[in-house]
Amino acid sequence: MPRFSIIVPAYQVQGFLRECLDSVLGQSYPDFEVIAVDDRSPDGCGAIIDEYAARDDRVTAVHLPRNVGLGRARNAGLPYARGDYLLFLDSDDSYTPGTLEALARRIEAADDPDVLIFDYARTHWWGGFQRNIMHGVFAAAGDAVFTAAERPEFLDLIMVVWNKAYRRDFTERHGFAFPPGYYEDTPWTFPVLLSAGRIAVLDRVCLLYRQRRQGNILRTTSRKHFDILDQYERVFAFLDEHPELADWRPYLHRRMAGHCLEILDKSNRLPEGDKPEFYRLAARACRRHRPAGHTLPVSSQRTALRLLSGAPYWLFAAHRGCRAALTRLRAHGTKLRGRALQRAKRLVHRLLSLRPLDPHLAVYSASHHRGVLGDPAAIHHRARQLAPHIRSVWVVRPDAVAGLPPGIDHVTPDSLRYWATVARATYFVNNVNWAHELVKRPGSVHVQTHQGTPLKHMGVDLLGHPAATHRTNVRAMLRRCDRWDYSLAANAHSERIWDRAYPCHFTSLPTGSPRNDVLFTADPAHAARVRRRLGIPQGDTVVLYAPTQRDHHATGYVRRVDLAAFTRALGPGHTLLVRLHPTLARHPVRGTELADLARQGLLIDVTDEPSVEDLMLASDALVTDYSSLMFDYAHLDRPIVLHADDWETYRANRGVYFDVLAEPPGHVCTDTGRLAALFRSGAYADERAARLRAAFRERFRGYDDGHAAARVVGRLMLGERPATAIPAQEQGPAAEPVAGLVEGGRA
């Protein structure tokens, strides 16, 4: 008997069916069966199902003599199911890698609950991803097992069957089945969840919910949307048969009314001429099922709900029309107020710009206002010590304010205080460009710190790479770069590239990279504190995996390393830290593979850690592909391994300044097996790795010596000269990194 029976109904989805079935048959967990139901599809779905059934005995093909619709097609697959748990997968959707294994582990840990609810992400036809906006409820529930009454918020999730696993004997004992018609999930899901004595959740993106440009039946204008009324009749009939569930009647009444209002409001649901009839039938159902003494909740829909319970359609339509007009008027008013506010802000900016610059005011920003980070943060902290007369104000976006360290004065972008601040500031420090609206005043000093040593093409060098510039206007970017007064360089290579990539009138300062100062000055206790904060077991060897993004991929993420296999190869006594590129912080992969392995204690997802320098200090080795982090990490003189299985693709799409595979900072591998073997054998840290790293350090260490931030502050805020660092080849032993041995690891 298999653990899972996966029922896949198919109708006119020949373009997606193979991807769907492959996502199941390619799962690492083998104990399942697939029941693929051809709902008399007029296209090639039946032949595809037969093809898969012929080559994999886990697939059972079921061909229906006539088209019966999605719900009844699922019912047709139920008699063939032998698994402990039922899963329903729509044939244009797909499972993420590792889903069945994660479900099996969670079910076992929860002691075979009646229902297991899991998370999903929408995948748009144009390539975008969006995780379920209510995904926070999964984390809040954690490992608890509960009933719907104990956690009613799970009834507010999208009412679908495909994000749940159902214990088969539970569904058979209650006789649950799908009705005909649209919205067939409603009279299945509500009764199932209300009847379940034990519900568990899995905080993981298990299913990719395809958002098709065309073909979604629920977005098709048709009278079939009247079916929602019959489906709720079935839900209330179930309540009548189960008096112990009577307390749910007010909630379900609100859900029905809200659902009907949604159908009436959507322009692509009902034919316009059928709306009065639908309204009358919906109002009749609302009156019939309204609980005695029930009062409507305070909400934006309260008036509409009251009308739906008794008013004629013309009055309801008039109300909705007035409401729509008021919404448009408010939107127009908001737009006008927004324009007036913008004019007021700019007027304040112009008026304040008539006053002299404040010579003691510096404005900082980093990584598009994400917080106190990187080189700007290092300069800010050093300025507090060496130039305390300079007041610092950070520009921070609203969602990052909560994560600010104590004592940070900040403004939010485009606020009135923001414009008042930038109007008079003398110093502007950023590692990306300021917005084009910011006008540079004469006498102000703009410092561009950049974000590390460049391997990939930057600035004007991107013009030959459309995959890297499809969201970037290079000409507009250069106009913003014209505001730079100073460009910091970490080494001679960077200095040459910035001069080439940004043909603007700035002065290059060979100061070194301020954010790297801590790599030279931190003592072993610093790394030990970071390890304790991250929960790394004492004595573990820590490997930091930091891949870069892929501009040629729609989402920026391409899975290059099998992290499960790599963590298994590392074995006990090792901790893997995974830091995705900041642009991938909201990618669904964090809710799939990374979440699975983190739950098992096999890795720690440190993508959200604000200080990458702390992560470097806390680790014993770096695995990366083409990230600029390799240049910074080389200062620690610790092993670096490049995983470069798509070098030619990356080089062609993004462009690079030199062949890093010809002059690598350590061993190079092109598959997970070789990567694992390097760490199993210890070869990642052998003599050859040391020689390669030494040559790489010699070439790119440049001006970094632990005093870069002090040089920047001294030159720009204190008027000291020179600002130039001592070249690496002239530095003595005192300039070597102080990081040394970290607690429990190797340097």
Side-chain angles (χ1 to χ4, degrees):
M1 180 183 297
R3 190 59 161 159
F4 297 110
S5 292
I6 305 167
I7 297 176
V8 183
Y11 182 78
Q12 288 193 328
V13 286
Q14 63 179 5
F16 309 113
L17 183 55
R18 292 181 186 277
E19 182 180 346
C20 171
L21 294 175
D22 287 342
S23 78
V24 180
L25 298 176
Q27 291 285 315
S28 57
Y29 185 84
D31 193 14
F32 65 86
E33 64 178 0
V34 176
I35 301 158
V37 183
D38 170 22
D39 189 17
R40 197 66 176 176
S41 184
D43 60 4
C45 285
I48 293 172
I49 288 172
D50 286 340
E51 173 193 331
Y52 276 77
R55 73 173 191 232
D56 195 317
D57 58 10
R58 294 175 297 180
V59 179
T60 298
V62 178
H63 296 277
L64 302 184
R66 61 185 180 85
N67 176 247
V68 297
L70 182 57
R72 287 183 170 177
R74 288 171 178 157
N75 289 340
L78 287 173
Y80 296 88
R82 300 174 297 116
D84 299 325
Y85 278 82
L86 297 173
L87 289 162
F88 299 98
L89 176 62
D90 288 354
S91 46
D92 54 352
D93 297 336
S94 58
Y95 286 146
T96 59
T99 283
L100 295 185
E101 184 175 350
L103 292 176
R105 282 198 308 270
R106 182 69 186 105
I107 287 171
E108 182 178 3
D111 195 20
D112 286 10
D114 297 328
V115 180
L116 176 68
I117 308 174
F118 49 84
D119 205 3
Y120 67 93
R122 298 174 188 267
T123 61
H124 297 275
W125 60 269
W126 41 266
F129 281 78
Q130 181 187 14
R131 189 171 181 180
N132 162 33
I133 60 173
M134 289 186 63
H135 68 267
V137 300
F138 289 88
D143 294 333
V145 177
F146 52 86
T147 64
E150 292 167 333
R151 286 196 172 271
E153 61 269 26
F154 282 94
L155 292 176
D156 294 330
L157 293 173
I158 181 174
M159 196 50 52
V160 292
V161 303
W162 40 252
N163 69 336
K164 303 170 185 73
Y166 312 89
R167 206 176 73 244
R168 184 166 61 90
D169 62 359
F170 162 71
T171 63
E172 290 177 348
R173 184 170 70 253
H174 287 271
F176 294 127
F178 293 94
Y182 280 17
Y183 304 101
E184 73 291 331
D185 289 3
T186 299
W188 167 285
T189 308
F190 277 129
V192 165
L193 292 180
L194 297 181
S195 301
R198 301 179 71 252
I199 301 172
V201 300
L202 175 62
D203 183 16
R204 183 194 194 276
V205 175
C206 294
L207 183 137
L208 300 180
Y209 177 29
R210 187 186 301 274
Q211 305 296 288
R212 293 160 63 177
R213 185 170 180 268
Q214 293 180 335
N216 187 321
I217 60 173
L218 293 184
R219 294 176 185 165
T220 303
T221 304
S222 165
R223 281 184 60 89
K224 290 292 291 179
H225 293 282
F226 278 71
D227 290 351
I228 190 63
L229 302 173
D230 292 334
Q231 307 298 20
Y232 274 103
E233 287 298 326
R234 294 181 173 98
V235 173
F236 283 105
F238 180 82
L239 285 189
D240 292 338
E241 295 169 4
H242 296 82
E244 71 277 9
L245 300 177
D247 289 345
W248 286 104
R249 189 173 293 273
Y251 171 83
L252 291 171
H253 181 264
R254 289 196 302 271
R255 286 296 298 267
M256 176 182 69
H259 209 155
C260 291
L261 287 176
E262 180 184 358
I263 291 172
L264 282 166
D265 283 342
K266 298 291 185 180
S267 60
N268 60 349
R269 297 294 195 270
L270 291 166
E272 198 61 36
D274 291 325
K275 286 187 175 182
E277 181 185 356
F278 179 87
Y279 173 82
R280 288 192 297 271
L281 294 175
R284 186 184 306 166
C286 286
R287 290 193 298 271
R288 182 167 60 253
H289 295 296
R290 182 176 180 177
H294 174 59
T295 57
L296 294 171
V298 177
S299 72
S300 61
Q301 292 280 54
R302 185 172 185 173
T303 302
L305 290 169
R306 184 179 290 117
L307 290 170
L308 185 60
S309 297
Y313 178 72
W314 67 266
L315 184 58
F316 172 82
H319 164 73
R320 301 306 264 180
C322 290
R323 189 168 180 265
L326 184 60
T327 299
R328 289 194 294 270
L329 185 61
R330 285 173 176 166
H332 183 62
T334 300
K335 186 181 295 185
L336 292 177
R337 285 194 299 273
R339 289 174 180 170
L341 184 59
Q342 287 296 328
R343 286 195 292 270
K345 291 172 183 175
R346 293 198 170 95
L347 178 60
V348 168
H349 184 265
R350 285 197 295 271
L351 290 174
L352 290 175
S353 296
L354 298 176
R355 300 177 61 190
L357 292 174
D358 184 344
H360 301 144
L361 178 58
V363 179
Y364 295 86
S365 179
S367 303
H368 305 286
H369 315 314
R370 286 198 301 113
V372 181
L373 309 167
D375 291 305
I379 296 170
H380 158 81
H381 292 311
R382 199 64 172 144
R384 277 185 160 183
Q385 299 169 351
L386 301 180
H389 61 286
I390 302 293
R391 182 166 64 92
S392 301
V393 178
W394 279 82
V395 182
V396 182
R397 66 192 193 195
D399 63 330
V401 168
L404 289 179
I408 295 295
D409 190 8
H410 69 276
V411 296
T412 54
D414 206 34
S415 64
L416 191 60
R417 186 165 178 247
Y418 164 84
W419 285 109
T421 301
V422 300
R424 299 201 60 207
T426 294
Y427 305 102
F428 291 80
V429 183
N430 206 337
N431 62 4
V432 294
N433 266 316
W434 296 97
H436 70 276
E437 294 90 353
L438 193 154
V439 178
K440 184 181 188 306
R441 291 186 61 183
S444 63
V445 178
H446 283 239
V447 182
Q448 172 58 233
T449 71
H450 304 285
Q451 297 186 68
T453 297
L455 168 62
K456 60 188 178 184
H457 278 178
M458 306 290 288
V460 297
D461 293 328
L462 291 173
L463 289 173
H465 303 283
T469 57
H470 68 287
R471 294 189 183 97
T472 302
N473 183 329
V474 176
R475 295 179 187 275
M477 176 186 66
L478 290 178
R479 286 194 292 271
R480 293 191 291 273
C481 297
D482 284 332
R483 295 177 297 202
W484 300 355
D485 292 291
Y486 296 100
S487 167
L488 305 190
N491 45 54
H493 165 78
S494 297
E495 198 169 2
R496 288 192 300 270
I497 297 305
W498 302 146
D499 284 344
R500 164 196 170 118
Y502 301 105
C504 307
H505 297 290
F506 57 79
T507 298
S508 183
L509 293 184
T511 57
S513 177
R515 70 176 185 175
N516 285 342
D517 286 352
V518 69
L519 303 183
F520 293 82
T521 60
D523 58 25
H526 184 128
R529 288 193 297 271
V530 176
R531 286 181 166 221
R532 285 194 295 270
R533 178 170 58 80
L534 295 176
I536 298 171
Q538 187 172 0
D540 267 18
T541 296
V542 180
V543 180
L544 174 61
Y545 174 53
T548 193
Q549 64 175 343
R550 299 301 193 272
D551 298 294
H552 58 276
H553 194 272
T555 69
Y557 177 78
V558 181
R559 183 176 182 266
R560 310 309 315 181
V561 172
D562 183 342
L563 293 176
F566 184 42
T567 54
R568 285 195 295 268
L570 287 175
H574 292 78
T575 294
L576 180 66
L577 306 180
V578 177
R579 183 178 181 84
L580 300 182
H581 191 274
T583 59
L584 302 175
R586 297 185 179 181
H587 195 279
V589 70
R590 298 189 65 195
T592 53
E593 184 176 31
L594 295 191
D596 281 347
L597 297 173
R599 269 190 296 271
Q600 298 173 60
L602 297 177
L603 59 75
I604 301 174
D605 182 355
V606 292
T607 302
D608 294 329
E609 279 291 313
S611 172
V612 69
E613 295 78 34
D614 279 354
L615 300 178
M616 288 192 281
L617 286 167
S619 62
D620 298 300
L622 172 69
V623 176
T624 187
D625 39 33
Y626 322 116
S627 170
S628 64
L629 200 63
M630 71 177 82
F631 299 95
D632 307 317
Y633 200 84
H635 296 317
L636 296 174
D637 198 18
R638 301 176 189 173
I640 301 173
V641 176
L642 296 189
H643 185 269
D645 64 328
D646 63 342
W647 171 246
E648 294 302 328
T649 301
Y650 185 85
R651 179 162 64 175
N653 281 281
R654 178 66 198 223
V656 295
Y657 289 114
F658 67 95
D659 187 351
V660 72
L661 301 195
E663 302 175 87
H667 287 288
V668 177
C669 59
T670 57
D671 61 74
T672 302
R674 171 62 177 156
L675 177 64
L678 283 172
F679 279 87
R680 268 199 312 267
S681 64
Y684 75 98
D686 63 11
E687 291 184 7
R688 181 169 182 270
R691 288 195 303 272
L692 291 170
R693 186 167 66 253
F696 193 83
R697 292 180 69 216
E698 178 69 19
R699 179 177 179 184
F700 293 108
R701 176 167 172 177
Y703 315 124
D704 281 335
D705 61 359
H707 304 289
R711 278 190 286 271
V712 175
V713 173
R715 169 67 185 267
L716 302 182
M717 298 177 180
L718 300 177
E720 297 175 354
R721 300 182 70 91
T724 306
I726 302 172
Q729 58 269 26
E730 298 177 18
Q731 295 170 0
E736 289 297 310
V738 184
L741 292 173
V742 292
E743 183 179 69
R746 291 189 294 273

